[in-house]
Amino acid sequence: MLPHQEKDLPLLSIFIDDGELKSSKKCQMTATVTKKSSLEEMIISKSRVKLMKGEINDQFEEFTEEELNVACEVVAYLISKEAVGATKSEVLDEFCSIPKPELARVILKLLREKLIYKVGTVCVRYVSYKFASKWAVLTYHLKRLDREKLPSLNPEKGNQISDITEPPSKRKRLSKEAVESEEKQKSTPSHDKFFVILRPWIRVDGSLNRSGLSFMLLSVLSHVIDRPATTMTEIAENFLPSLANIITYDLIEILEEMHCVTRYVVMKQPVSLFSKRSLIYEIRPAHELDLENEVRVEATPESAVKLALLMHGSFSSHTNYKCPCH
């Protein structure tokens, strides 16, 4: 330590109190917790499919008059495509008269309002709200107390050995009672069902698998740090066949929401036979309709620290994570 630093250190204790230090640390921790909870809510809500009944005019309140006409045309076009949907290239070809940044802004608002959904396996496809359930799974959230009430999971019920040793007449009577109890449980609507677009970090009941998500985010971020300025297609090819392309794209978007990576596009000027030699390229931020082979990803300077702060609760058990497909 330098001499002038040693002299300056005692002055800090005069101006900063221990109580202020504790309160500032507490504010930082609460801010991190609120950011973490909002991030988890965003990831869960992104996987939920919102069923819309009747008119959808209330969903267009955030659009301006110019954007409203474009949004209605986009939704009508995707409804005509039914469950297959349309890729980014097809959307750009259909609405070639509209400037690309304006169209991307409208599609981003439609995704936020859940009027269209981003689905697919190999490439990104946009599907309207009417056919989004074809890409989702109908499920419900089962709590622990409800799980204990189920007869198949209740340890107090008889075991299989005692059922086998009983006479056939008694076994038939027991089976009839079991069928009647199951029918009663099905007839009573005790759970609110909803549609979920499944991802490896989303459980079947719609909850978030934090350890699996942190493991995948750490893998993608470490690859981006090792190979900066690579395209999204190259990153997705590195994780094949363990992760599909659309899953890797979603993980990159989550890292961008956490401010761990940045996405940009390098704009090259058209070259002809008479053009002058130039090494100047224009760099702009990537938007929704940029193709994955054109978008480059680069880690931010404090990406590892931010990821550790937001996911530190699940990092303690990420070493015990096991891939579900192995």
Side-chain angles (χ1 to χ4, degrees):
M1 188 178 291
L2 296 175
H4 68 276
Q5 290 180 342
E6 291 179 357
K7 294 178 182 178
D8 293 341
L9 279 176
L11 295 174
L12 292 174
S13 60
I14 300 173
F15 297 104
I16 301 175
D17 193 12
D18 292 338
E20 293 180 357
L21 281 173
K22 291 178 181 179
S23 62
S24 63
K25 289 179 181 179
K26 190 175 181 181
C27 292
Q28 290 177 359
M29 290 297 294
T30 52
T32 305
V33 170
T34 52
K35 194 172 182 180
K36 181 182 175 182
S37 61
S38 63
L39 180 69
E40 292 178 358
E41 290 175 0
M42 183 270 294
I43 295 170
I44 294 172
S45 64
K46 198 176 179 181
S47 64
R48 297 281 181 94
V49 176
K50 185 179 179 182
L51 297 177
M52 298 183 185
K53 299 178 182 179
E55 298 182 355
I56 58 171
N57 296 329
D58 297 337
Q59 305 295 325
F60 291 100
E61 292 179 353
E62 293 187 0
F63 294 87
T64 61
E65 293 182 0
E66 296 178 356
E67 293 176 349
L68 186 60
N69 298 327
V70 179
C72 293
E73 292 177 4
V74 171
V75 172
Y77 171 70
L78 292 178
I79 288 174
S80 65
K81 288 291 185 177
E82 298 183 352
V84 179
T87 60
K88 291 183 178 180
S89 302
E90 292 174 355
V91 172
L92 290 172
D93 293 340
E94 181 68 22
F95 302 97
C96 58
S97 60
I98 304 172
K100 193 175 177 180
E102 295 180 7
L103 184 61
R105 186 169 60 252
V106 170
I107 288 180
L108 196 62
K109 287 186 178 181
L110 288 172
L111 288 169
R112 196 182 302 119
E113 295 295 329
K114 292 186 178 294
L115 290 170
I116 64 174
Y117 291 86
K118 192 187 295 186
V119 295
T121 52
V122 178
C123 62
V124 176
R125 289 185 173 273
Y126 297 108
V127 180
S128 66
Y129 66 95
K130 288 189 176 181
F131 300 97
S133 59
K134 304 293 183 182
W135 292 82
V137 175
L138 183 63
T139 182
Y140 59 89
H141 185 65
L142 191 64
K143 296 182 180 179
R144 183 177 60 85
L145 296 176
D146 297 333
R147 206 181 300 124
E148 291 175 355
K149 294 177 183 179
L150 292 176
S152 59
L153 300 177
N154 197 346
E156 295 180 359
K157 300 290 182 181
N159 52 10
Q160 296 179 356
I161 299 173
S162 62
D163 294 339
I164 295 171
T165 54
E166 288 173 351
S169 60
K170 194 172 181 181
R171 260 186 283 167
K172 288 181 181 179
R173 190 167 67 250
L174 287 171
S175 62
K176 289 179 181 178
E177 292 175 356
V179 169
E180 290 176 357
S181 64
E182 286 180 0
E183 289 178 354
K184 288 180 180 178
Q185 287 180 358
K186 290 179 181 179
S187 62
T188 56
S190 57
H191 305 289
D192 296 331
K193 296 182 180 180
F194 52 88
F195 285 95
V196 171
I197 299 174
L198 290 181
R199 290 289 184 263
W201 53 88
I202 300 293
R203 296 190 181 94
V204 184
D205 59 351
S207 60
L208 182 65
N209 185 4
R210 295 179 183 85
S211 60
L213 178 62
S214 63
F215 182 80
M216 294 177 195
L217 289 175
L218 184 61
S219 302
V220 174
L221 182 61
S222 61
H223 180 77
V224 172
I225 292 173
D226 291 339
R227 296 169 180 83
T230 54
T231 61
M232 293 179 66
T233 306
E234 293 173 351
I235 297 171
E237 288 175 356
N238 181 73
F239 292 97
L240 286 173
S242 300
L243 297 177
N245 292 347
I246 186 67
I247 295 172
T248 309
Y249 299 156
D250 287 349
L251 289 170
I252 293 172
E253 289 181 1
I254 293 171
L255 287 172
E256 190 180 20
E257 290 285 340
M258 299 167 65
H259 303 286
C260 294
V261 298
T262 55
R263 297 188 304 160
Y264 61 91
V265 177
V266 179
M267 302 291 294
K268 297 181 181 179
Q269 297 179 356
V271 180
S272 65
L273 190 62
F274 303 99
S275 60
K276 296 181 180 180
R277 183 180 178 182
S278 177
L279 299 176
I280 299 174
Y281 299 107
E282 183 183 354
I283 297 175
R284 63 166 178 83
H287 54 68
E288 181 61 34
L289 289 178
D290 285 327
L291 300 178
E292 284 76 17
N293 56 0
E294 299 175 354
V295 178
R296 299 184 178 275
V297 185
E298 194 168 340
T300 57
E302 299 177 353
S303 56
V305 178
K306 291 177 181 177
L307 183 63
L309 283 174
L310 292 172
M311 305 297 291
H312 67 90
S314 56
F315 263 44
S316 58
S317 60
H318 84 281
T319 52
N320 299 326
Y321 173 73
K322 294 182 181 179
C323 182
C325 60
H326 290 83

